[in-house]
Amino acid sequence: MKDLADEKITMELLHREGLARIGRFQTPHGYVDTPNIMPVINPNIRTLSIEKMKRMGMQCLITNSYIIRRSPELREKALKDGLHSLVGFDGPIMTDSGTFQSYVYGDVEFKNRDTVQFQIDIKSDISTILDIFSTPDNTYEEAENAVNETKNRLMEVQDIAEHANISGPIQGSIYMDLRRKSARIMSDSPASYLPIGGVVPLLEQYRYGELVDIIINSKLNSDFSKPIHLFGGGHPMFMSMAVLLGVDMFDSASYVKYAKDDRMLFPEGTRDLSEIVELPIWSPLYDKYNARELKSLGKEERKEALAEHNLFAIYMELGEIRERIREQTLWQYVESKARSHPSLMVAFKKILTYSGKIERYTELYRK
Ligand code: GUN
């Protein structure tokens, strides 16, 4: 395989509409067409087979190096045979660091530099530092500390980042000056991949208006040659808006999480399986079951079926978004979607307040 240094990610642009863009970036294990999603794979629990996910169009995935490192069995296999062999996928794989686990469960047991080194050792295509998760209810001081400590942690692995793809999360909670500062720090650093972090609570609470502020302030202060990823942002309802504001990549565990709770993803929202009378004709389940049969499946089988439906809904939406950018009708698409949920309408009105800024890029970016 080529030296990792030859494979530092930079965006190659193919089409643009405002800040939205269709592009491609290379990794040591192949390229990714953007906008795109990395489904979250738990190395311990396989809900869908990699083959099935590839048939749906999966080009890349994300898994958690913290989970791998904590399990002696997974750790040994990953160090011996590599991450790609462990997961059973030879395309681009990004690894997360355990930051989210430390946010959910408290402190994690590993340190930043060895967390990154472990990801390099198992041949991750994009490795993530142990950033500090800034939550929406942080005080200004807490959020500022998160931004500064995340910067220190990136600096601590600067030498590694010169030769490998390091993901440098943009933090800063709901404070826009901090988001702008964090975006500039990460853009000027050797990190080649920029996720917007600390937004899962906002996504879960449908606080899309605040997300618009965060995304646009992060994006406009970022190096446009580095892909922007929205951590946890893979709900089909919000993806088109995020792309309109310049997000290139998403990840999602929601296709499984919702499936576990008997919930189904649709382009405009989520429905409980119990409420469904007719399955949509586009669903990959349509030819296999009717709604009644689906409800009567055993728990595990039902979870797998719903996860397949949910991931398919995400890929279907991404295909539509890319097509809209090619035809330069993403604005109209986002506007029509805004009518499907009050929080999306709030977010759309927020986007309009930035339209002057966004239009500047429309002129610059004509095909
Ligand atoms: N997953 C969801 N949010 C985050 C975040 O802010 N940082 C990292 N590393 N992973 C995440």
Side-chain angles (χ1 to χ4, degrees):
M1 190 175 299
K2 275 189 270 178
D3 183 1
L4 282 177
D6 298 336
E7 306 279 359
K8 279 287 284 261
I9 288 172
T10 52
M11 285 291 287
E12 181 190 329
L13 296 188
L14 303 169
H15 298 270
R16 297 150 161 167
E17 181 187 345
L19 290 167
R21 52 197 195 169
I22 291 190
R24 178 176 275 191
F25 63 83
Q26 288 288 341
T27 77
H29 286 85
Y31 61 82
V32 176
D33 291 307
T34 69
N36 215 325
I37 190 156
M38 299 172 167
V40 176
I41 302 277
N42 181 331
N44 281 312
I45 312 159
R46 294 304 174 85
T47 308
L48 295 177
S49 71
I50 295 288
E51 276 318 306
K52 199 169 252 181
M53 296 169 88
K54 274 166 71 170
R55 278 202 297 277
M56 280 188 228
M58 178 176 74
Q59 266 187 330
C60 49
L61 60 83
I62 184 166
T63 189
N64 200 304
S65 65
Y66 175 71
I67 296 175
I68 296 172
R69 196 165 168 216
R70 246 186 16 170
S71 147
E73 198 188 316
L74 294 176
R75 183 176 65 230
E76 249 143 67
K77 185 158 169 36
L79 284 169
K80 184 162 153 280
D81 305 328
L83 175 65
H84 292 76
S85 159
L86 177 78
V87 172
F89 179 63
D90 58 7
I93 303 183
M94 174 171 170
T95 40
D96 203 349
S97 53
T99 290
F100 195 63
Q101 278 66 24
S102 95
Y103 159 64
V104 177
Y105 306 113
D107 257 357
V108 297
E109 64 215 76
F110 302 124
K111 297 266 174 287
N112 175 53
R113 191 172 164 98
D114 54 55
T115 292
V116 172
Q117 189 58 51
F118 178 71
Q119 295 172 72
I120 302 290
D121 292 344
I122 64 176
K123 306 219 162 35
S124 171
D125 292 288
I126 306 173
S127 307
T128 307
I129 59 168
L130 200 55
D131 53 316
I132 309 293
F133 195 94
S134 56
T135 69
D137 57 6
N138 273 169
T139 63
Y140 188 86
E141 267 90 11
E142 286 166 338
E144 192 172 30
N145 286 340
V147 168
N148 291 339
E149 181 56 21
T150 298
K151 173 189 176 179
N152 295 341
R153 292 185 178 195
L154 199 278
M155 293 308 144
E156 194 192 356
V157 296
Q158 202 168 0
D159 55 327
I160 300 176
E162 299 293 345
H163 305 286
N165 289 307
I166 298 294
S167 125
I170 297 169
Q171 296 289 350
S173 179
I174 53 169
Y175 306 103
M176 294 312 136
D177 61 323
L178 294 181
R179 286 285 175 180
R180 289 194 289 271
K181 174 178 165 183
S182 187
R184 285 194 292 264
I185 289 170
M186 289 303 158
S187 291
D188 293 343
S189 82
S192 53
Y193 193 87
L194 307 180
I196 299 175
V199 291
V200 169
L202 296 175
L203 286 157
E204 285 175 352
Q205 296 160 31
Y206 295 89
R207 288 163 65 180
Y208 295 145
E210 287 156 277
L211 277 160
V212 167
D213 286 324
I214 290 173
I215 295 170
I216 200 135
N217 278 284
S218 305
K219 173 72 182 186
L220 293 181
N221 289 280
S222 294
D223 178 338
F224 280 25
S225 69
K226 301 182 181 186
I228 295 279
H229 179 128
L230 189 66
F231 260 143
H235 195 302
M237 240 173 113
F238 186 66
M239 285 194 304
S240 57
M241 260 185 196
V243 170
L244 185 75
L245 301 172
V247 170
D248 303 298
M249 292 297 298
F250 300 92
D251 65 286
S252 172
S254 62
Y255 70 104
V256 177
K257 268 199 242 157
Y258 281 89
K260 265 191 217 152
D261 295 339
D262 282 324
R263 306 198 77 204
M264 296 178 81
L265 296 181
F266 288 79
E268 294 182 342
T270 314
R271 292 188 176 113
D272 281 330
L273 175 61
S274 61
E275 292 165 7
I276 305 256
V277 178
E278 295 181 43
L279 291 177
I281 196 162
W282 52 260
S283 172
L285 308 181
Y286 186 83
D287 289 337
K288 295 187 206 149
Y289 318 102
N290 61 34
R292 195 174 31 77
E293 289 162 345
L294 181 59
K295 288 175 199 173
S296 65
L297 293 178
K299 179 75 192 146
E300 278 309 302
E301 211 182 334
R302 201 167 69 239
K303 183 176 95 181
E304 184 184 338
L306 292 178
E308 184 181 351
H309 166 95
N310 289 344
L311 193 58
F312 189 91
I314 292 172
Y315 281 117
M316 189 173 79
E317 177 67 6
L318 277 168
E320 181 66 20
I321 291 170
R322 287 190 297 261
E323 203 58 25
R324 292 290 184 149
I325 300 173
R326 287 185 200 103
E327 27 170 82
Q328 311 252 312
T329 59
L330 186 65
W331 259 107
Q332 286 95 315
Y333 186 56
V334 169
E335 184 171 8
S336 68
K337 267 186 113 95
R339 280 183 254 283
S340 63
H341 194 284
S343 308
L344 285 175
M345 186 49 88
V346 170
F348 186 68
K349 288 187 177 150
K350 184 55 83 53
I351 293 177
L352 291 178
T353 68
Y354 289 105
S355 58
K357 282 195 171 137
I358 297 173
E359 261 152 33
R360 233 178 284 152
Y361 291 92
T362 310
E363 290 312 308
L364 275 176
Y365 273 2
R366 282 274 160 221
K367 252 197 283 194

